Structures are given as structure tokens and as C-alpha cells.
Amino acid sequence: MTDNLTLQEAAETAIPVTLGERSYQILIGEDLLGKTALHLDSFLPGARCAVVSDENVAGLHLDKLKRGLQEQGLYLGEIIVPPGESSKCFARLEQVCDRLLDLGVERGDCVIAFGGGVVGDLAGFAASILRRGVNLLQIPTSLLAQVDSSVGGKTGIDMPQGKNLIGTFFQPALVLADMSVLSTLPERQIRAGYAEVAKYGLIGDAEFFAWLETAWPEIIEGGTDARKKAIATSCRAKAAIVAEDEKEESGKRALLNLGHTFGHALEAFTGYSDTLLHGEAIAIGMTLAFRFSAEEGICEPADAERVKAHFQAVGLPTEIADIDGAKPSAAEMLRLMAQDKKVHAGQLNLVLVRGIGSAYLDAKFDMDALTAFLQRECAP
Ligand code: NAD
């Protein structure tokens, strides 16, 4: 790779997200950070940049990004938030907006969300409401953010009532997934991000899931080719779904929520803490969605077993009993699940499965059966 390559040429893979005038590219490759500033002009001519990051990511990788931006005279400043889900809150959003205004970010400038999904959701939300919307560049640094949260334009913060309940749809101008930064991501976070990779196989690509069943050790341990394929396949799947149903209106985008109704309830129960990472919660959630589908006779029990066995092999939790400390009761789970964004006219919609690679949105499942299922799953 030479320095005179454009960012687009330097990236090994470019995936379009096709949304009319809001279309953008996901660029995937290695050592892209240092090239960002040099080629920003082709994506956002004249934009100066304010970088939002968290303490961990900033400590490890901000210098590289910042140096390039400073050299091109494009650097406005940085806003560093504490790491972790608790930064997705109103107080932190207010601080970020306040500081972005102090830095003098104008509508033609750019907010760079430089971090995991937490920073992406928080900074993306701030960019979407600042001056009624300024340019956003997503530079995801966790596996989860590279395969999921940086793509598709969902932004937001959590509320005590539930996760992601306040937010916007706001597409970035560009997503830049530099795989090199994953070398510093703790292994537990890699595993948690992997749950979202597996999700794409479970939703609609049985062949991809079968490949993951053999390729997962390489993806976890950092094999470049396997990681690149996993990230690109995930981004392509998400881009296709987002292009079809950007604002979750037709039910197609809701499929990306496989396991999330259970998972979000578990995250709320554990207080959005390190007890249970988002990816871990949805690994349990997806296992539950398969098992409930099997119990309802919608999917083969063997498929539910296969999903559980895979997540266990990877080292992800698969049962409510796997959560450290207090466990929710069935009543607590149902109360928290009722806050789900897929509730319409009081009726909970669940993403269920007909098999591996065949998820669908079900509004007609038997609520009594779900209650009985959760009573069994939550039994001590
Ligand atoms: P995160 O942002 O908290 O990052 C996980 C941890 O890894 C943090 O401690 C972070 O500081 C650290 N980290 C990130 N990159 C690193 C690197 N390269 N090296 C070392 N440490 C690094 O969490 P996450 O798992 O990335 O994202 C989870 C969030 O994403 C949740 O809030 C979830 O709701 C959200 N999400 C949003 C969407 C969406 O469509 N907007 C989709 C899925 C998930």
C-alpha cells in the first residue's frame, strides 16, 4: 500500500449502502486511519473534523487519526467520553453537544464517531441534532461496531425504561472500518462482536453460518482473511437490509433484531453493565429465540441445538443461568420486553426462526406459551 493511493483504493473492500442521495460507502481494510484526512476531501469537501471517542480508544488510537487531520488543517478538537454503555445517556449527550458547539462545528463540518457502538450511537445522535444535522463519519473500532452498529444510521441513547429508546435515523457520509485497530480489542469484546456476525448467518444466510462453524477460531484469534470475509459479509447483509427498509417500516430491518427482545431485557436487568455485554446478551437472546421457535414447532429442535452448541464453542453465554449474579424472573423479563420498540398496539412482535438462515417477524405467537417458556428458562 503506498501513500498516494486514495482511501477508496487503499481499502480492500468497498460496500455501497444504496439510499438515494443519502447513499454512502463502507470501506474495509487495514491501516486506513492515517489516510483518513488525506482523502476526506473527496467525501466531504472542506469539512473540518471534531472527533468523539472514548478513553480507551482515544488512548490507543487517537494520535494516528489526529495527526493526519492536523497535518491537513482539518482538526477542530476532540471530545472524550468514559467507556461503556453508561455514556449513552442524556447527560453525556448534552455534554457532547455543548462541546461540539464550543468547538465551532458548522453544518458543513464533520463529527467523527471514533470508537465502538457506544460512541457511534452517542456521537451519531449528537451529529443528527446539532444544528439540525451535521456530517457524520463513522470510524468503528470494535468488531461489533464494524459489522453492525456503524452501518445503517440508527443512533441513540438508553433510558431507565429501556435501551435505545431515544434516538434518530441518521446516515453517516462514510463508514471506515480499519481492521488493524481490532488488534487492541480485548478478547471478550471480540467474542461479543462475533455474536452479531453469527446473527447475519442465522437471519438469512445458512451457508455463511456453516462457514462460521469452522472459521470462528480464526476470526476470534485475528486471522486477517477470515476477519475480512466475516466483516464484509456482515456489512453486505446489513447494507442490503437497510437499503430495503431504512426506517424499519416493512418488517425487513426488524429481522436484525433476532435475539434482541430477550437480549435487551437482559441488558436492562443487569443495568447495562460489564456483567453482560450487548453481544453476550444477544447470544443468549438468539439461543432463546431458536429454542422458543423449536418448542412452538416452527423450527427443528436440531437447529436450536446447533446454534447453542456453536455459541458455547465460541465461549459465549447461551442461557439466562450463565449470567453472573441475580437472574431475572419471568415476570421481570416480560415487563422489560414490553418496552421493546417492536411493540405495536400493545402486542409484542418477536423475531422467530423457521430454521438457520430463515428468520421472520411474528406478531401472532402465543403469549401464554412465551410466558410458560420464560418461566422454565428463568427457573433457578
Ligand atoms: P463499546 O462501544 O462499549 O465498546 C466495547 C469496549 O471496547 C469499550 O470499553 C471500548 O472502549 C473498547 N474498545 C472499542 N474499540 C477498541 C479497540 N480498538 N481497542 C481497545 N478497546 C476498544 O461497545 P460495542 O460492543 O462496540 O457496541 C455496543 C453498543 O452498540 C450498544 O450500545 C448497542 O446498543 C449498540 N448497537 C447499535 C447498533 C446500531 O444499529 N446503531 C447496532 C448494534 C449495537
Side-chain angles (χ1 to χ4, degrees):
M1 187 188 299
T2 61
D3 273 352
N4 54 12
L5 288 179
T6 66
L7 194 57
Q8 190 136 15
E9 286 161 347
E12 288 134 56
T13 309
I15 296 168
V17 183
T18 310
L19 289 167
E21 60 184 14
R22 282 167 295 108
S23 298
Y24 55 96
Q25 299 270 335
I26 307 163
L27 301 183
I28 303 165
E30 290 194 272
D31 298 318
L32 301 178
L33 271 194
K35 301 177 86 64
T36 310
L38 214 51
H39 302 289
L40 198 64
D41 224 39
S42 57
F43 296 97
L44 296 170
R48 301 167 307 157
C49 301
V51 181
V52 182
S53 192
D54 75 19
E55 287 157 7
N56 295 338
V57 176
L60 291 161
H61 301 290
L62 181 59
D63 272 356
K64 201 167 191 180
L65 177 66
K66 184 172 165 176
R67 222 175 305 126
L69 290 167
Q70 281 172 331
E71 277 165 14
Q72 299 301 314
L74 296 176
Y75 192 68
L76 276 174
E78 67 224 32
I79 301 166
I80 311 298
V81 302
E85 189 71 29
S86 58
S87 278
K88 275 176 59 175
C89 67
F90 258 125
R92 197 64 66 194
L93 176 73
E94 185 182 352
Q95 276 179 7
V96 171
C97 290
D98 202 45
R99 179 101 171 94
L100 287 171
L101 291 173
D102 285 348
L103 288 173
V105 175
E106 298 170 4
R107 284 199 82 178
D109 291 331
C110 175
V111 170
I112 299 183
F114 184 49
V118 165
V119 164
D121 283 5
L122 176 70
F125 191 15
S128 75
I129 55 177
L130 196 84
R131 302 191 198 280
R132 298 204 174 89
V134 300
N135 298 307
L136 172 66
L137 174 56
Q138 288 276 5
I139 306 188
T141 63
S142 67
L143 180 60
L144 185 141
Q146 295 194 350
V147 300
D148 192 352
S149 59
S150 63
V151 176
K154 279 191 183 178
T155 80
I157 55 171
D158 304 328
M159 295 292 284
Q161 290 89 337
K163 212 171 140 66
N164 298 330
L165 292 183
I166 308 283
T168 54
F169 285 99
F170 188 71
Q171 300 296 341
L174 175 70
V175 178
L176 200 65
D178 182 343
M179 295 191 303
S180 319
V181 299
L182 297 179
S183 63
T184 56
L185 191 66
E187 194 172 305
R188 185 179 172 200
Q189 296 288 350
I190 295 272
R191 286 179 208 282
Y194 177 86
E196 300 276 16
V197 174
K199 180 184 76 177
Y200 295 104
L202 296 177
I203 290 172
D205 190 344
E207 209 177 297
F208 181 50
F209 184 75
W211 175 74
L212 289 173
E213 284 179 305
T214 53
W216 71 264
E218 244 192 292
I219 298 169
I220 300 290
E221 284 156 23
T224 308
D225 290 345
R227 270 201 188 162
K228 200 187 306 158
K229 176 171 171 175
I231 295 169
T233 307
S234 302
C235 287
R236 253 183 229 110
K238 181 144 186 190
I241 289 177
V242 168
E244 209 181 305
D245 181 21
E246 183 186 7
K247 298 205 169 150
E248 212 162 305
E249 288 159 340
S250 74
K252 182 81 183 173
R253 186 164 182 169
L255 300 185
L256 292 168
N257 270 312
L258 174 64
H260 283 56
T261 306
F262 296 112
H264 282 167
L266 294 170
E267 280 184 280
F269 180 79
T270 49
Y272 307 114
S273 67
D274 276 358
T275 303
L276 193 65
L277 302 178
H278 175 70
E280 294 169 342
I282 67 140
I284 299 176
M286 289 191 282
T287 312
L288 292 179
F290 266 84
R291 194 178 303 138
F292 181 60
S293 300
E295 286 193 10
E296 288 300 280
I298 304 164
C299 130
E300 290 295 332
D303 280 351
E305 280 306 315
R306 199 174 141 195
V307 171
K308 179 179 166 176
H310 180 59
F311 286 142
Q312 279 180 329
V314 171
L316 283 160
T318 55
E319 305 286 341
I320 290 175
D322 292 342
I323 300 170
D324 280 344
K327 322 280 187 261
S329 66
E332 279 164 326
M333 281 297 284
L334 287 165
R335 180 179 61 76
L336 292 165
M337 287 166 72
Q339 281 294 345
D340 191 271
K341 290 191 288 312
K342 290 183 297 307
V343 173
H344 295 297
Q347 165 71 41
L348 182 63
N349 291 342
L350 267 187
V351 181
L352 296 181
V353 284
R354 298 192 178 94
I356 288 170
S358 184
Y360 72 102
L361 190 61
D362 194 324
K364 296 201 175 78
F365 67 89
D366 181 349
M367 198 62 199
D368 291 339
L370 178 69
T371 306
F373 172 75
L374 284 172
Q375 279 163 348
R376 286 192 300 281
E377 293 295 330
C378 296

